[in-house]
Amino acid sequence: MMRSAGRQPYVCWQCLSRKEAGQHVALNARKGRVATLSTLASSPASSPASRPIQQWVNTLRLSHERRQGLSASTSLLRKETPEISNEALEDFALPLPQDLQHLQDSQPSGKKSNKSAQPSIRQRLKQWEAENPEPFNSIPSDFALPGRSINVLTSNRSDHMLEMGDIDKDNATVQIDNQDLVDTQVTPRVQAGDLLKLTSEDWNIGVLAVCLGSFNGIDHFYAVTGKWFASTNAKSGFIVKNFITDPADLQPVIDALPSTVGDISVMYELQKLRAGPTREHGAGLITKMLEFQNASQQIYHNNLERLSNPHRHIPEEEQLMTLGEIAEFLLPPKLKQSSTGFPPEALYAVYTELSFEDAFFHSLGQGTAGPSSIIFHVTARSDRENVDRVERMVRDYYSPELLDSKSRRGHDRLEPVLRQARLAIDHSRKMREWSSHGMLGPTTRVLPASTYSWSQDALTVISVMYMWAASDVFPRSSKYQWIGAAVLRALRRYQDAEVLDATVGWTFLQEIGWLMPWEIHARHSLRLPGLQVNRAGGLLPSPEEQQPAELAEDVLAPLRQDFSASTVYCIDAPNAKEIDDGVSLERTDKEGEYWIHVHIADPTSRIRPDSPLAKRAALMTQTSYLPGHVDKMISDEAVVEEFSLAPGRPSLTFSARLNEEGTLLDHKVTPGRIGDVVYITPQDVAAAVGPVDAGIPKVEAPDVVLEVGTPPSAEDEAPTRKMTKPDELSEQNVKDLEILSKLAAAIHKIRVQKGGVPIFLPSPNASFSLENARIEHTPSGFLACTNDPYISVKYSVSGGLHPIVDDLMGTANQIAALWCYERGIPIPYRTNVLAAQNEEALRAYTQDVIYPQLIAGKQPSLDQMRTLRNLLGGYDIAVTPTFIYTMGVDIYTKATSPLRRYSDLLVHWQVQAALLEEHKRGGGSQSLVTRKFDKYNLKPPMDDKQAARLGLPFTASHLEDKVFPSLRVRERHAKNLGNFEGRHELILQALVRAWRFGEGPKGQVPKKFTYTVISAQHSCVRGKLDYFDLWAEIDLENLAAFSLIRDMRAGDVLTVELADVNVHMRKIVVKPVEFVQRGPERRRVLAEEEQEQEQEEGEGEEEYIDVGDEVLQPEER
């Protein structure tokens, strides 16, 4: 990792030689000499004379080793540098430092020096060092700090060195947030018998392993290397389901597990003691994994030419591609199996090669359809070429003497770029302070926008810096990490940065005006192909969007039923622009039974699945509501207005016949046209009907506010339509709303009885306003931003608007799923992968552990949420449904927001085609219904041939293979951006502005916080602050004077102070002050040195490993 000028030496990834920041040292391969070039900075801190001589000598020693063919990395990593003879040192033509020049000048001219009469070089260096005392800074460790880049060139690791700490990323919780049902996890849950590749994100290494099962919330694996692993959240990009089909093959290894307690720290200590199954226990599994691995390697060798250069054989543009699609370009068709495509061994060969090309083929996760559904973000060829171009520019800049005379004429292409950038940086710092917190300070003065003209070389360099610091194209272990650091070092503007990493690169892009000072990193790192980020906010319109939208004729016009006799209630905020749902009530001839009609906007009746509008919706996936960056799935306001519910507008109506207990008696789907519409807010509904007992516990949001910037004007945004107030409702309107509220409350109670989450706790939310900020576009396409946005952070109650909205919309989604299932129609069902097989355990665990805490207003622990996730299996989409336990519904899809979600459009297109087919057949007895619903015996949809005969636009295989892989990724990214990472960055921006720059009301950020430890593993302690439930870390540096990391316990309560906030990395570091309360004592496993000490002390007691619920004797390890 590179260090800035004037600070510690660093390990240079360009030439693997050690040198002081600011000094060029280049190896002349032909002459075997080291030449000292001019320094980059003229400051005394970076001059050769001010450097410790020992560092200067070490450069010579290392170069001498390189001449002798020794490994530079070996020299860098050993503790003591080997001695080099004086004769060897004299063999270098290196000028002496200025302080020692008099020693050479004092010799008689024209006379040969007498070695015995004058000091040796070593003596001279010792003399200089004595006269110029300065502490020696050692080489920074290659040990990876959390979130930092890793030097894998001089400190590489083999697969056999993989350990639990490398694969376990203990930061995942299950999301049980109302009706969203989008899992932010990348990898599907693994089960016993699955084959997967356990990978280290840090070191880009991995091993094949078989899952042994999940015990007490911890997954256990046995690797092909004969090593046992345990993890709470193992990362894997390649999974083969049911690789081991006979449980008896797993049992010998399971029986040999040293422990199955639910404490991952115990597992770490046991692995350090080399506990776990032996190779004899796992011989059968190792054999099968080796057979798989050898078969894959043979396929790789047989197709080496294409697999070793994958980017040459796939399309040039940036795109999302599944592993199966990539394999089509790289493998011969003869390898395909008749019905399932390429075998897993062939796909693994392709996957392994793409893992080495990780900078340009980035795995985004695997679906449920096996390895072929692994989806990759493929970088455009032009971006790859830009990286190569900038890499050459930087290498030539630092080592011009290595170029021949022809190439040397163009070696200085980087210097003009640096000059341009320095001017822009200096201009920025006259208005904003640079900070190390991953963001610039607020505006201190306003100056005219700069008018610098940027060359094409400069734009190319900026594009690569953007890939590095904004788009996160290069993994932490990528060999390309050095390029950005080298550019920053050459700029000589970031001497105050401890490490020249991507965070500094991010602030560089802000200072030159490429990004806004308040930009959100997640907007760029979560960007997906086909969507171009507008650097001034939101997304740039696609070429298709700039053309007038073409709508087809209404294909459902002959089928539409007139609903004008009923009043439709559209319940939403007054400034909502996409009015895509409403509800009406129809009384039946039987007392206590009603038809509830949920009317949904019907854009699919005029938008075809292959139209430009549909393709754009597929890329967007859903409307993004990130504050300050709202991007609509359907951006054409005229189209949204055309289909938003209003009198005379078409609808697709999902109807449920219910009794007063909320029991579903019948259901249907009908194309319709609505008449009278009442627009009303949820608050006014509550005021009109009074309190309704839905069994929802009351919860108070904490009264904590964080506010920075100038608040926007108090004027509310004008309503988009005429809103009805409670006193404007007719008597019939009020009765309708009262009945609808009671029915919704009854539905909610049923769902809670069936396992639905009873309450959603308040969570911090950020509001954002650019009213007082100014963004100006310069002629060169850069941004000049003055003043700053207003950010307000406070708690808000989760869980939706009103029972009428939440529970009746949920009922409509349930009806859509049920209607399609009865006809065998493939749609994107929402699933709980493991809920069916774990139903009883889920019920017991949620009712006894999770839900009582939620009702009491307490957030369950990370361990408890992890166990819940293991029982649920997470959320997914599939063409075969399961019940959704956390919602208390037997079957579910999403169909109520087709103006805002692409998955809803998919459902509508399928339903529309089925309605047309039934109408064509005459309806009634000619219905397409072929089966009844049984939640314990759910069947797959109709086959592809039947779907084609019925005119369905999407077959089951097309959805699974072509649509769902991309849909999963895009939905996950949209949720992370809008609900998690994006909003988290806004909160951290407000925190930095208040804490570091003193904005907002005085005292709103406490000087000290209460901190609860969640886990203490690896290189830091992780926990939560009592301030907006923010995650924070205590790193080793801040922990050093307080406690040993092994003595920290989960559950410890501490008083802490803020040490650092990094907005770019979304990380808070705190410094511990004192213990408030100690957590439960950790289960301990005796370390080997402790055992030896006990033996030396002669205790004479038999040695045991304490693992809580189990005690294992030494021979059982």
Side-chain angles (χ1 to χ4, degrees), residues 341-354:
F342 291 107
E345 295 85 350
L347 293 172
Y348 185 66
V350 178
Y351 178 84
T352 302
E353 175 57 34
L354 299 184

mmCIF file of all heavy atoms in Angstrom, residues 341-354:
data_model
loop_
_atom_site.group_PDB
_atom_site.id
_atom_site.type_symbol
_atom_site.label_atom_id
_atom_site.label_comp_id
_atom_site.label_asym_id
_atom_site.label_seq_id
_atom_site.Cartn_x
_atom_site.Cartn_y
_atom_site.Cartn_z
ATOM 1 N N GLY A 341 -27.710 -28.155 -19.977
ATOM 2 C CA GLY A 341 -26.647 -27.250 -20.411
ATOM 3 C C GLY A 341 -25.286 -27.759 -19.994
ATOM 4 O O GLY A 341 -25.038 -28.955 -19.891
ATOM 5 N N PHE A 342 -24.370 -26.854 -19.741
ATOM 6 C CA PHE A 342 -23.015 -27.239 -19.376
ATOM 7 C C PHE A 342 -22.998 -27.865 -17.989
ATOM 8 O O PHE A 342 -23.680 -27.389 -17.071
ATOM 9 C CB PHE A 342 -22.081 -26.027 -19.402
ATOM 10 C CG PHE A 342 -21.818 -25.487 -20.770
ATOM 11 C CD1 PHE A 342 -22.384 -24.296 -21.190
ATOM 12 C CD2 PHE A 342 -21.003 -26.185 -21.657
ATOM 13 C CE1 PHE A 342 -22.146 -23.795 -22.457
ATOM 14 C CE2 PHE A 342 -20.749 -25.698 -22.927
ATOM 15 C CZ PHE A 342 -21.330 -24.506 -23.332
ATOM 16 N N PRO A 343 -22.199 -28.908 -17.786
ATOM 17 C CA PRO A 343 -22.119 -29.541 -16.464
ATOM 18 C C PRO A 343 -21.423 -28.620 -15.473
ATOM 19 O O PRO A 343 -20.672 -27.705 -15.865
ATOM 20 C CB PRO A 343 -21.302 -30.809 -16.730
ATOM 21 C CG PRO A 343 -20.478 -30.480 -17.920
ATOM 22 C CD PRO A 343 -21.321 -29.582 -18.781
ATOM 23 N N PRO A 344 -21.619 -28.851 -14.163
ATOM 24 C CA PRO A 344 -20.984 -27.977 -13.158
ATOM 25 C C PRO A 344 -19.467 -27.924 -13.280
ATOM 26 O O PRO A 344 -18.867 -26.873 -13.031
ATOM 27 C CB PRO A 344 -21.415 -28.613 -11.829
ATOM 28 C CG PRO A 344 -22.674 -29.352 -12.143
ATOM 29 C CD PRO A 344 -22.515 -29.836 -13.553
ATOM 30 N N GLU A 345 -18.826 -29.041 -13.675
ATOM 31 C CA GLU A 345 -17.370 -29.034 -13.805
ATOM 32 C C GLU A 345 -16.917 -28.039 -14.868
ATOM 33 O O GLU A 345 -15.918 -27.330 -14.691
ATOM 34 C CB GLU A 345 -16.857 -30.434 -14.159
ATOM 35 C CG GLU A 345 -17.074 -31.479 -13.087
ATOM 36 C CD GLU A 345 -18.460 -32.121 -13.165
ATOM 37 O OE1 GLU A 345 -19.321 -31.623 -13.919
ATOM 38 O OE2 GLU A 345 -18.687 -33.131 -12.474
ATOM 39 N N ALA A 346 -17.650 -27.972 -15.979
ATOM 40 C CA ALA A 346 -17.304 -27.022 -17.035
ATOM 41 C C ALA A 346 -17.547 -25.586 -16.581
ATOM 42 O O ALA A 346 -16.739 -24.681 -16.841
ATOM 43 C CB ALA A 346 -18.103 -27.334 -18.294
ATOM 44 N N LEU A 347 -18.650 -25.367 -15.888
ATOM 45 C CA LEU A 347 -18.946 -24.020 -15.400
ATOM 46 C C LEU A 347 -17.921 -23.583 -14.356
ATOM 47 O O LEU A 347 -17.550 -22.398 -14.296
ATOM 48 C CB LEU A 347 -20.360 -23.987 -14.804
ATOM 49 C CG LEU A 347 -21.500 -24.196 -15.801
ATOM 50 C CD1 LEU A 347 -22.828 -24.342 -15.065
ATOM 51 C CD2 LEU A 347 -21.573 -23.042 -16.792
ATOM 52 N N TYR A 348 -17.439 -24.528 -13.579
ATOM 53 C CA TYR A 348 -16.429 -24.181 -12.578
ATOM 54 C C TYR A 348 -15.111 -23.781 -13.244
ATOM 55 O O TYR A 348 -14.397 -22.903 -12.749
ATOM 56 C CB TYR A 348 -16.212 -25.347 -11.628
ATOM 57 C CG TYR A 348 -15.268 -25.033 -10.490
ATOM 58 C CD1 TYR A 348 -15.624 -24.097 -9.515
ATOM 59 C CD2 TYR A 348 -14.032 -25.660 -10.381
ATOM 60 C CE1 TYR A 348 -14.769 -23.797 -8.465
ATOM 61 C CE2 TYR A 348 -13.175 -25.365 -9.333
ATOM 62 C CZ TYR A 348 -13.538 -24.427 -8.378
ATOM 63 O OH TYR A 348 -12.682 -24.128 -7.351
ATOM 64 N N ALA A 349 -14.790 -24.421 -14.358
ATOM 65 C CA ALA A 349 -13.582 -24.044 -15.099
ATOM 66 C C ALA A 349 -13.678 -22.593 -15.564
ATOM 67 O O ALA A 349 -12.714 -21.820 -15.472
ATOM 68 C CB ALA A 349 -13.381 -24.983 -16.287
ATOM 69 N N VAL A 350 -14.852 -22.201 -16.067
ATOM 70 C CA VAL A 350 -15.051 -20.820 -16.512
ATOM 71 C C VAL A 350 -15.026 -19.879 -15.301
ATOM 72 O O VAL A 350 -14.383 -18.822 -15.326
ATOM 73 C CB VAL A 350 -16.376 -20.687 -17.277
ATOM 74 C CG1 VAL A 350 -16.607 -19.234 -17.697
ATOM 75 C CG2 VAL A 350 -16.383 -21.595 -18.497
ATOM 76 N N TYR A 351 -15.708 -20.284 -14.243
ATOM 77 C CA TYR A 351 -15.784 -19.446 -13.040
ATOM 78 C C TYR A 351 -14.399 -19.185 -12.457
ATOM 79 O O TYR A 351 -14.080 -18.064 -12.043
ATOM 80 C CB TYR A 351 -16.677 -20.119 -12.001
ATOM 81 C CG TYR A 351 -16.774 -19.366 -10.703
ATOM 82 C CD1 TYR A 351 -17.679 -18.322 -10.555
ATOM 83 C CD2 TYR A 351 -15.951 -19.679 -9.624
ATOM 84 C CE1 TYR A 351 -17.764 -17.616 -9.362
ATOM 85 C CE2 TYR A 351 -16.021 -18.980 -8.430
ATOM 86 C CZ TYR A 351 -16.938 -17.955 -8.313
ATOM 87 O OH TYR A 351 -17.015 -17.245 -7.130
ATOM 88 N N THR A 352 -13.566 -20.219 -12.431
ATOM 89 C CA THR A 352 -12.220 -20.076 -11.874
ATOM 90 C C THR A 352 -11.411 -19.057 -12.659
ATOM 91 O O THR A 352 -10.712 -18.213 -12.081
ATOM 92 C CB THR A 352 -11.499 -21.432 -11.862
ATOM 93 O OG1 THR A 352 -12.265 -22.373 -11.096
ATOM 94 C CG2 THR A 352 -10.109 -21.302 -11.268
ATOM 95 N N GLU A 353 -11.498 -19.113 -13.987
ATOM 96 C CA GLU A 353 -10.760 -18.147 -14.793
ATOM 97 C C GLU A 353 -11.287 -16.738 -14.577
ATOM 98 O O GLU A 353 -10.511 -15.784 -14.463
ATOM 99 C CB GLU A 353 -10.856 -18.518 -16.275
ATOM 100 C CG GLU A 353 -10.218 -17.516 -17.217
ATOM 101 C CD GLU A 353 -8.747 -17.253 -16.911
ATOM 102 O OE1 GLU A 353 -8.052 -18.194 -16.477
ATOM 103 O OE2 GLU A 353 -8.309 -16.106 -17.090
ATOM 104 N N LEU A 354 -12.606 -16.572 -14.502
ATOM 105 C CA LEU A 354 -13.167 -15.241 -14.297
ATOM 106 C C LEU A 354 -12.768 -14.676 -12.941
ATOM 107 O O LEU A 354 -12.679 -13.455 -12.772
ATOM 108 C CB LEU A 354 -14.691 -15.283 -14.424
ATOM 109 C CG LEU A 354 -15.249 -15.734 -15.776
ATOM 110 C CD1 LEU A 354 -16.770 -15.633 -15.778
ATOM 111 C CD2 LEU A 354 -14.665 -14.908 -16.917
#
